Amino acid sequence: MTSHQKSCLECAKSKRRCEPQTPQCPRCARIGLDCVYKNPPVKDLSQHLGRKRARRGQAHLNQPSSDGPLSSAPSGDVVPVLGEASPRGTKTREISGKLSVSPIPKTHQPLYRQLWSPGFHPGSPVQPTINRLPLKALMRNVTSWPTKFVQRLEAPFIHASLRNASILPPPLEAAFGACATYLTKTPKTKDMVMGIIERRVLQLIDLDLSILSIESHLACLQAFLLLHIIQLWDGDARQRAQAEMQSYTIENWALMLHMRVTEASKEQDTPLDWTSWVTLESARRTTLLTLLAQGIYEMHKYGVCSCM
């Protein structure tokens, strides 16, 4: 009988989730195991949704980016403009006359899952005892973010000034519509609603972050996180499996954003104005809470967390 096993033998033996890659999957590379496949990895639909996008995220880390300008909403709030790129070849440029932003450095950056630090992770032989009560409280908090965003335009990673803006950044506007539709779903319409969310996520993943400004990158990550939470905690088995594969992508997006704002902060010779500070601080908080939400899900499902 033909075997369709895609995971490597070590991951299958340990009953761990495997991300098939050659010459080694990330787990075997991380803990120093011999990675052998019964069926060598090939390109198929699941790889298109998972590893191909993870590699695309890795490629973005090694490509220069040009940052688009900020546009001002009628209320005076800064709104990112998608699709507007600055001329290539410039090392730095001015945004709103205050914030200088450098392209993404060409230095090699490993994928998030290839980063390792001592401590417990899914490959650890010892499993810690988990207090479920605080974990459930954290889960309720995280899963409430899409609802709070729709009802009050509030989320711990979105600055309060956004509530006074006359328009939302395009990615957040699309996420707002998808989240609002999700809150009004019925048992008969749930499949259609989850399909809308799935398509919105795929549209975000197909964006080329290397040509987006920090502000646009931030808005895309915030929209991705809101929809990702819905898929992880309230999707069916297929939606949850897709969201788990896309976890590598959203973590890479978060680390890329953190790297860009760190570089931008280092290059400032004068204090930032209020708008620029809000942008950089929102990016830092969004990065932190993206990794936190992913870590809470892993603790809930696996009992351990690989996030650093």
Side-chain angles (χ1 to χ4, degrees):
M1 184 175 179
T2 304
S3 172
H4 297 286
Q5 178 178 315
K6 295 180 181 179
S7 60
C8 69
L9 298 182
E10 289 294 340
C11 291
K13 180 180 177 181
S14 303
K15 296 183 180 180
R16 300 292 183 183
R17 182 177 61 182
C18 182
E19 185 191 5
Q21 293 183 6
T22 56
Q24 288 182 301
C25 71
R27 177 176 176 269
C28 289
R30 184 176 64 245
I31 60 180
L33 298 176
D34 292 332
C35 192
V36 180
Y37 294 94
K38 184 177 294 185
N39 299 302
V42 294
K43 293 182 178 179
D44 58 12
L45 179 60
S46 64
Q47 293 172 335
H48 175 73
L49 294 175
R51 295 190 298 278
K52 182 177 179 182
R53 284 169 184 151
R55 289 194 298 268
R56 183 185 301 172
Q58 172 65 26
H60 290 165
L61 291 173
N62 299 324
Q63 294 177 358
S65 72
S66 299
D67 302 296
L70 294 174
S71 66
S72 297
S75 62
D77 294 299
V78 175
V79 179
V81 179
L82 290 173
E84 295 187 16
S86 62
R88 293 188 176 274
T90 56
K91 184 176 180 181
T92 59
R93 61 190 302 273
E94 290 289 327
I95 294 184
S96 298
K98 296 293 182 181
L99 177 62
S100 295
V101 182
S102 293
I104 298 176
K106 293 185 178 181
T107 56
H108 173 70
Q109 296 290 336
L111 288 174
Y112 178 77
R113 295 291 178 152
Q114 294 172 341
L115 299 174
W116 182 85
S117 63
F120 291 111
H121 55 82
S124 297
V126 181
Q127 301 293 325
T129 302
I130 299 175
N131 189 336
R132 291 287 176 180
L133 290 179
L135 183 59
K136 288 182 179 180
L138 288 171
M139 288 170 55
R140 286 194 298 269
N141 186 293
V142 171
T143 54
S144 70
W145 293 350
T147 302
K148 292 178 179 177
F149 176 63
V150 170
Q151 294 179 347
R152 301 191 295 271
L153 282 179
E154 291 180 0
F157 49 87
I158 295 178
H159 194 266
S161 62
L162 192 65
R163 296 197 295 269
N164 300 321
S166 58
I167 59 174
L168 292 172
L172 279 177
E173 191 174 77
F176 182 90
C179 292
T181 304
Y182 167 75
L183 294 180
T184 60
K185 72 182 186 305
T186 65
K188 290 185 178 180
T189 61
K190 182 174 180 178
D191 289 343
M192 180 181 295
V193 170
M194 297 308 292
I196 292 173
I197 292 174
E198 178 182 343
R199 287 189 291 275
R200 292 290 181 268
V201 170
L202 293 178
Q203 289 171 0
L204 285 170
I205 292 176
D206 285 337
L207 293 174
D208 184 0
L209 297 182
S210 66
I211 64 173
L212 299 183
S213 65
I214 287 181
E215 293 77 15
S216 297
H217 188 158
L218 170 62
C220 290
L221 178 58
Q222 291 172 338
F224 194 174
L225 177 56
L226 289 166
L227 301 179
H228 187 68
I229 288 170
I230 295 174
Q231 285 188 305
L232 277 180
W233 270 282
D234 198 34
D236 56 19
R238 176 176 172 277
Q239 291 274 346
R240 190 173 296 113
Q242 278 195 340
E244 288 176 352
M245 287 190 293
Q246 292 160 354
S247 296
Y248 303 104
T249 303
I250 195 170
E251 289 168 1
N252 283 330
W253 277 29
L255 291 178
M256 290 165 61
L257 180 61
H258 177 69
M259 180 176 61
R260 295 182 70 181
V261 299
T262 300
E263 291 297 321
S265 299
K266 290 179 180 178
E267 295 174 358
Q268 302 308 310
D269 297 328
T270 58
L272 295 173
D273 66 347
W274 171 250
T275 300
S276 300
W277 181 87
V278 166
T279 298
L280 295 183
E281 185 62 23
S282 297
R284 294 187 183 100
R285 295 186 186 187
T286 302
T287 297
L288 177 63
L289 291 173
T290 297
L291 300 181
L292 173 65
Q294 186 62 31
I296 292 171
Y297 178 79
E298 290 184 0
M299 289 291 293
H300 168 67
K301 182 169 183 179
Y302 303 112
V304 289
C305 172
S306 63
C307 298
M308 295 185 296

